[in-house]
DNA sequence: CCATGCGGCCTTTTT
DNA sequence: GGCCGCATGG
């Protein structure tokens, strides 16, 4: 990477490691762990000074670099374990890293207190300085459900219609703001106005205030409040800056703006720095695509609407920016390093350097892969990684391109696919492995056949392996789906086959109702002021304390400005309440008093058992006859079991608010079923990738809402999927699929076209009849009715290709893609409807003639309201009427028995009665 | 206060 | 087609 103007971090030349002797000693020890690395990996490990970005493609040894780097730093004596900040996104990653570093260096890691997730480290920092941001150090961390409940109350207090302005929606908006590092004051006016008639900002502020009174923080706060703390208390920031001599970041492509700002502060980069036009922008690397520079971190570009508003985070309104800068700089220049130890010398030399804010170490090493950024929808900014060398001037960029995981064909397929993305830094993965099996692409008639085919292949692989006396462990097989509704089909099939499987993902353990309830009891015991927890369980199990009773408590508590539990204690002995609820309340409060006493005498696990028992909570589930009650009881036991690892209740609660994943303790061999998202970071010998159809993958919604950016993210997801496979990758698409209870026909995913033919083998599912209906691209899922009765007779793939030539694709088989993610714009809208609200207006290009249209096509009725597509009973009347004789591609002939908007109920001759969207049948 | 029924929604998910 | 959340009525 070009770095024409390199700011040499001052101390580089004569930087003694922890004394000359240690340095010498280290030279000998160098060999073993470094020798095991390839040259690029080694460079990534050894380049310790200044900012480093390691672009680590899938399977190139990312974790190894990270862990070896830590080991190396420790080994050279460049820092103590407690002087290294290493952040990850998930607890799992943190755990793994800890373990692997542990193996390399031994017990020292015990003393790596700053290795953890962004959030865990955020909490740790906040607890130490809680008073400075208006909290007490024992503040609670709110989960999403608490968050929503709280917001609901605020919305009600504002007398807003909770229907029109749902708390859930606002919670997401607030989350988005926090992800972007925006405090209430910083939220751009326009954006804030869009919720609740301009009350957005006020609500956000009220929410924050309420959190403070509850002595609570939500997940977003763990970072945002840290940032605020750092900005308002430069001395505190200073402390951490001098502590962290080395910063390592895993999965950098997943960082959001808040995390980015947080890192910049700690890495001693000026956040709102160098007045623009300065050094940084001029450094714009030559190969960076246009558009990046003006979105640079210093926000010198005019704000554009929507997405661009993210810039606000980088460049709060000018006044604020200025004051922030001057404050930081004032402190920054006069730094007097608080570092107590001998090797602190280095900082002394740099402050004199002219460049403002450019002081000290900036030994930050970010590892990531822009091609694996798949969390844009929850605030991750791919830009963070794309722009790294702007943001961290003088950064060294190291590419790891040698793949140690997949065979040649798989890697080639994945690389070719991802090369279709424009917004990427570009890497060329290569392997020295054999070519192996080609990537198989199989067309199936419907999702059921897809599941059947995959089931059979798995059984066959098992058989084949057994014949060879080998074994294809089921653990090495995964089915990676785009959306979780796809899973059911596989589960059903596998149950039939008796094939053991495991679904990974789904609701997190600690998000389950029974766990949250149990925790709420414990929280109230540990923290009587935890109103949200109290509210949660006050009537769970039912004890006659409904809304009315709760309302009284609320009123009283608010009036007296006391926590709910206190209000409850008082009201249980006054006569304001009716006797019945009052007695119930008194009973509950007495229980709590008793449990609180027992807290200090009994082991916490025992206490938990007593609480669950005496509160009637366990009993509630024992009486419950629904199917999952047993599982819930099991979960409760698991919860108690998991408490054993902790010293006390407080320690456990702290842990559980941040962590708590089901330790997936079963060792039985099983096929894994999971979403592509949860597959990131995993690998398997064999990977099945079903559902590669337009609309599902790439997902329509992603296209509609994010346009090109959405498409590229979907493509990265496809790339992630393929690169999970070591030896076999098998892709499927189904022509028909049931979505929301109705059958829908789909065409194969455009991603299939983007795979290199020479590395792919096209198959047809056994007994498959293939065939391609068409649901159409673009904003409508229900248009293009006339694609049926098609002339396609050739098997699947050819038909797919044929179909493409016919509509929406240019000659070379490339999709005729217009940059806003909308296909065949012209065909999808009637004259009377507007194009989708989200994307930019369709450019002139991309209009295809209605080529490939067959005649006899039912005039399509576009159902659009303000660009939102609807398919509901209120829609315009269908062109069909009761009694019509119709043909459906999957079900054959039948008679319409009922019409509901565009939904038809049809009695099919063979298939029985079904509900179908009208665009999928034709009159005969 | 609780059970029942109807209407609306429905991608991905960590902390 | 299924779940969740809310409104109604007992």
């Amino acid at each position: 990477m070009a770095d024409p103007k390199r700011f040499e971090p001052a101390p580089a030349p004569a930087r003694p490691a922890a004394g000359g002797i240690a340095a010498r000693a280290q030279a000998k020890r160098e060999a073993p762990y470094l020798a095991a690395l390839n040259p690029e990996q080694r460079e990534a490990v050894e380049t310790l000074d200044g900012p480093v970005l390691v672009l680590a493609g899938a399977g190139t040894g990312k974790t190894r670099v990270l862990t070896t780097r830590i080991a190396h730093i420790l080994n050279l004596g460049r820092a103590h374990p407690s002087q290294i900040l290493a952040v990850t996104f998930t607890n799992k990653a943190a755990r793994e890293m800890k373990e692997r570093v542990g193996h390399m260096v031994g017990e020292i890691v015990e003393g790596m207190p700053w290795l953890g997730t962004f959030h865990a480290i955020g909490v740790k920092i906040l607890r130490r300085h809680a008073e400075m941001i208006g909290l007490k150090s024992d503040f609670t961390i709110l989960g999403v459900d608490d968050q929503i409940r709280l917001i609901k109350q605020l919305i009600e207090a504002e007398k807003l219609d909770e229907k029109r302005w749902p708390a859930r929606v606002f919670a997401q908006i607030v989350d988005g703001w926090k992800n972007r590092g925006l405090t209430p004051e910083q939220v751009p006016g326009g954006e804030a106005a869009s919720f609740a008639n301009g009350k957005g900002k006020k609500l956000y502020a009220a929410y924050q205030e309420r959190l403070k009174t509850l002595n609570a923080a939500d997940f977003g706060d763990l970072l945002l409040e840290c940032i605020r703390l750092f900005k308002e208390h430069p001395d505190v920031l200073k402390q951490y800056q001098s502590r962290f001599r080395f910063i390592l970041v895993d999965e950098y492509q997943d960082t959001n703006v808040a995390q980015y700002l947080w890192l910049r502060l700690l890495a001693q980069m000026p956040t709102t720095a160098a007045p623009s036009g300065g050094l940084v922008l001029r450094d714009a690397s030559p190969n960076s695509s246009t558009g990046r520079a003006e979105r640079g971190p210093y926000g010198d570009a005019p704000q554009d609407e929507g997405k661009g508003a993210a810039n606000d985070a980088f460049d709060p309104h000018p006044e604020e920016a200025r004051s922030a800068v001057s404050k930081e700089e004032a402190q920054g220049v006069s730094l007097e390093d608080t570092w107590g130890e001998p090797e602190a010398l280095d900082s002394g030399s740099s402050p004199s350097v002219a460049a403002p804010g450019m002081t000290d170490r900036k030994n930050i090493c970010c590892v990531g892969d822009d091609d694996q950024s798949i969390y844009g929808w929850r605030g991750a900014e791919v830009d963070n990684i794309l722009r790294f060398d702007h943001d961290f001037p003088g950064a060294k960029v190291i590419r790891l391109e040698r793949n140690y995981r997949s065979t040649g064909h798989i890697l080639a397929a994945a690389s070719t696919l991802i090369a279709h993305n424009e917004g990427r830094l570009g890497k060329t993965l290569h392997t020295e492995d054999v070519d192996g099996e080609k990537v198989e692409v199989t067309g199936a008639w419907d999702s059921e056949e897809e599941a059947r085919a995959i089931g059979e292949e798995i059984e066959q692989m098992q058989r084949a392996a057994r014949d060879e006396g080998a074994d294809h462990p089921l653990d090495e097989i995964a089915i990676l789906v785009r959306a979780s509704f796809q899973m059911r089909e596989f589960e059903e099939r596998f149950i039939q086959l008796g094939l053991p499987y495991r679904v990974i993902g789904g609701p997190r353990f600690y998000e389950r109702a029974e766990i949250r309830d149990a925790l709420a009891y414990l929280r109230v015991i540990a923290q009587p002021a935890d109103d949200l927890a109290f509210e949660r369980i006050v009537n769970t199990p039912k004890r006659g304390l409904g809304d009315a009773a709760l309302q009284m408590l609320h009123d009283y508590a608010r009036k007296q400005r006391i926590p709910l539990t206190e209000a409850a204690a008082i009201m249980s002995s006054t006569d304001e309440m009716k006797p019945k609820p009052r007695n119930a309340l008194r009973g509950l409060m007495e229980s709590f008093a008793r449990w609180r006493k027992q807290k200090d005498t009994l082991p916490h696990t025992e206490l938990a058992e007593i609480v669950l028992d005496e509160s009637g909570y366990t009993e509630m589930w024992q009486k419950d006859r629904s199917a999952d009650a047993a599982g819930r009881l099991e979960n409760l036991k698991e919860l108690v079991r998991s408490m054993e690892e902790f010293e006390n209740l407080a320690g456990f609660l702290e842990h559980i608010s941040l962590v708590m994943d089901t330790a997936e303790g079963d060792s039985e061999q099983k096929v894994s079923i999971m979403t592509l998202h949860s597959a990131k970071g995993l690998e398997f010998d064999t990977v099945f990738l079903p559902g590669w159809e337009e609309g599902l993958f790439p997902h329509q919604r992603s296209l509609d809402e994010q346009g090109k950016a959405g498409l590229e993210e979907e493509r990265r997801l496809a790339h992630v999927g393929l690169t999970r496979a070591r030896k076999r990758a098998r892709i499927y698409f189904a022509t028909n699929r049931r979505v929301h209870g109705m059958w829908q026909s789909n065409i194969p995913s455009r991603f299939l076209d983007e795979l290199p033919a020479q590395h792919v083998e096209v198959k047809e599912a056994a007994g498959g009849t293939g065939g391609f209906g068409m649901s159409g691209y673009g904003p409508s899922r229900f248009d293009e009715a006339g694609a049926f009765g098609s002339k396609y007779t050739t098997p699947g793939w050819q038909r797919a290709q044929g179909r493409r030539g016919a509509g929406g694709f240019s000659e070379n088989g490339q999709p005729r893609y217009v940059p806003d993610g909308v296909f065949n714009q012209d065909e999808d809208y009637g004259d009377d409807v507007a194009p989708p609200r989200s994307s930019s207006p369709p450019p002139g290009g991309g209009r295809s003639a209605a080529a490939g249209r067959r005649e006899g096509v039912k005039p399509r009725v576009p159902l659009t309201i303000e660009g939102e597509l609807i398919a509901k009973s209120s829609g315009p009347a269908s062109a069909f009427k009761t009694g019509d004789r119709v043909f459906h591609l999957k079900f054959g002939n039948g008679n319409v028995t009922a019409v509901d908007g565009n939904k038809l109920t049809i009695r099919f001759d063979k298939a029985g009665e079904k509900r179908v969207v009208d665009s999928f049948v034709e009159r005969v």
Side-chain angles (χ1 to χ4, degrees), chain A residues 633-652:
Chain A
L633 286 166
E634 199 46 51
N635 287 339
L636 289 171
K637 270 191 215 148
E638 175 62 37
L639 180 75
V640 175
R641 230 175 288 142
S642 70
M643 292 175 73
E644 285 168 15
E645 299 168 35
F646 296 86
E647 296 252 313
N648 53 40
L649 189 57
F652 172 71

Side-chain angles (χ1 to χ4, degrees), chain A residues 406-424:
Chain A
S406 310
T407 57
H409 285 311
I410 293 171
L411 205 59
S415 304
T416 312
L417 177 76
I418 199 64
H420 286 79
N421 272 4
E422 283 171 21
R424 66 191 287 258

